[in-house]
Amino acid sequence: MTDDEIMAEGAKIAKERAQGKIISIDELCARLGITLETALALATEEASRIYGRPMRIEVIPDRLQ
């Protein structure tokens, strides 16, 4: 996907969420054509920007599997 296509899809997703639709992270990644790792990296960057300090996402393995 081009940057413009990603932005257009993001706008569609934002509109759907504003209407109350719940979109899973799997669906979000598929629609944007990105991996889960990329989505988490982008979320970390955005959280750092919002809170004004470095943020990170820590993945803890599920011990029950």
Side-chain angles (χ1 to χ4, degrees):
M1 291 180 100
T2 66
D3 288 348
D4 289 339
E5 291 170 329
I6 291 171
M7 293 300 288
E9 189 63 32
K12 289 179 195 174
I13 291 167
K15 186 176 180 180
E16 291 174 17
R17 291 190 67 222
Q19 295 172 350
K21 181 176 181 186
I22 297 172
I23 299 174
S24 71
I25 189 73
D26 292 329
E27 180 182 351
L28 179 72
C29 290
R31 288 177 63 178
L32 294 177
I34 61 175
T35 64
L36 177 59
E37 291 82 3
T38 299
L40 292 174
L42 292 170
T44 302
E45 287 178 17
E46 184 67 7
S48 296
R49 186 189 66 75
I50 291 169
Y51 291 103
R53 60 187 174 95
M55 303 291 280
R56 66 183 182 156
I57 294 176
E58 188 173 328
V59 178
I60 301 171
D62 184 359
R63 290 191 167 84
L64 298 177
Q65 292 184 349

